[in-house]
Amino acid sequence: MQDQTVGRPDLRGDCERCFGLCCVALPFTASADFALDKQAGKPCPNLRGDHRCGIHAELRQKGFSGCTVYDCFGAGQKVSQVTFGGADWRTGSRADARRMFDVFPVVRQLHELLWYLAEALDLDAAHPIRADLRRALDRTDELTRQTPDELAELDVPAHRQEVNALLLKTSELARAGIRGRKKDRRGADLMGARLKGADLRGASLRGAYLIAADLTGADLRGADLIGADLRDADLTDADLTGAIFLTQPQLNAARGSAGTRLPGSVTRPVHWTTRL
């Protein structure tokens, strides 16, 4: 796992403190991202007895690029060490294991919201709503610490909707001070779009489909990229300085180069500069 969510260690995956939950709880389908089918709750055949991946150094070469993109935002160690108090699914009852696998995706969604809220609180422009953001962050963190039964019954979409309203206000405040035209491409279908060198400063690209889009040399400074699908998007030499709500998984799914400029909250994916 790469060093992710810089400066927020509790919101990045720590495999040393996790029981390989993402390799067991989640399903995947044979595709360009995964070399085989796996059902939810069934251990990946590459998962070793010590909860480590047996092909971690060769995931992309072995057809598991989807694993290099995924990040749990720290939910793995939260569920392993806090929710279940360090109880290993391998040695516990089947019922406890199933509950752990059911709870993990819930906590993962909450931790993703914590990541967004933490970024929002770091933005100077968010000062007018900082108190609301802090309350939302504290409430979300409180939810992650509930019992397994409480987490299983949690209405995550409803909580996400409340948080998203604050994140939208944060985005509007942050982008208001950016010079130039602020394009609204929210939810736009830009799959395979030719956007080489495009001026997208301060643009709203929330939930936009940018799969395989050519963003070579594009100016994405201050753009809102929350939920944007960047799979196989070409970010070679693009400028994402100050882009808001850009996560490491989004970046890992894209293509880029040593010349791609990034916000300080993420790190340059190794595969961008390493020849396979």
Side-chain angles (χ1 to χ4, degrees):
M1 185 74 65
Q2 300 180 46
D3 181 24
Q4 299 173 5
T5 55
V6 178
R8 302 166 191 162
D10 57 325
L11 296 179
R12 67 169 180 258
D14 183 353
C15 297
E16 294 298 321
R17 300 174 58 217
C18 179
F19 298 129
L21 294 183
C22 64
C23 304
V24 187
L26 306 178
F28 48 74
T29 303
S31 62
D33 295 322
F34 297 102
L36 46 80
D37 293 326
K38 188 191 82 64
Q39 297 177 347
K42 180 180 180 180
C44 173
N46 298 311
L47 185 65
R48 304 185 317 205
D50 62 356
H51 302 298
R52 298 295 173 265
C53 177
I55 60 168
H56 186 267
E58 303 176 290
L59 283 168
R60 287 184 172 270
Q61 297 93 319
K62 297 288 187 179
F64 289 86
S65 61
C67 296
T68 68
V69 170
Y70 180 82
D71 183 58
C72 71
F73 293 99
Q77 63 262 27
K78 173 67 72 64
V79 173
S80 297
Q81 303 301 329
V82 178
T83 312
F84 287 87
D88 189 336
W89 58 267
R90 288 185 188 272
T91 57
S93 68
R94 289 186 178 181
D96 285 343
R98 284 196 298 271
R99 180 50 60 93
M100 183 179 284
F101 302 152
D102 289 342
V103 163
F104 171 65
V106 174
V107 178
R108 196 270 184 189
Q109 292 182 70
L110 294 173
H111 267 242
E112 183 178 11
L113 291 178
L114 285 174
W115 192 94
Y116 289 136
L117 288 165
E119 174 156 331
L121 282 164
D122 282 344
L123 296 173
D124 292 338
H127 178 74
I129 59 170
R130 181 156 287 131
D132 292 333
L133 288 168
R134 171 55 63 183
R135 280 191 291 270
L137 185 143
D138 291 343
R139 174 55 179 159
T140 303
D141 181 64
E142 181 181 299
L143 291 175
T144 70
R145 300 178 186 280
Q146 293 187 118
T147 67
D149 288 341
E150 290 171 330
L151 285 165
E153 297 298 323
L154 182 64
D155 187 347
V156 178
H159 182 66
R160 180 181 291 275
Q161 188 173 2
E162 293 177 8
V163 172
N164 189 57
L166 285 174
L167 298 178
L168 182 57
K169 289 181 181 178
T170 301
S171 172
E172 292 169 348
L173 289 168
R175 294 183 296 111
I178 298 174
R179 294 181 179 180
R181 183 182 177 188
K182 302 173 186 63
K183 299 179 177 64
D184 186 358
R185 300 291 182 85
R186 184 175 183 178
D189 183 351
L190 298 171
M191 291 190 289
R194 298 177 181 178
L195 296 168
K196 183 175 182 179
D199 182 0
L200 294 168
R201 286 174 294 169
S204 175
L205 291 163
R206 297 170 65 87
Y209 296 95
L210 287 158
I211 302 170
D214 182 4
L215 289 160
T216 304
D219 191 344
L220 289 153
R221 286 177 292 174
D224 181 352
L225 291 165
I226 193 168
D229 194 335
L230 294 172
R231 284 177 293 169
D232 206 33
D234 192 347
L235 296 172
T236 298
D237 297 332
D239 190 351
L240 289 92
T241 306
I244 58 176
F245 303 135
L246 173 67
T247 67
Q248 194 70 44
Q250 284 175 299
L251 210 56
N252 291 347
R255 292 179 288 134
S257 66
T260 305
R261 282 156 285 187
L262 302 172
S265 58
V266 292
T267 61
R268 193 176 311 279
V270 173
H271 67 273
W272 282 13
T273 53
T274 300
R275 301 186 68 178
L276 299 179

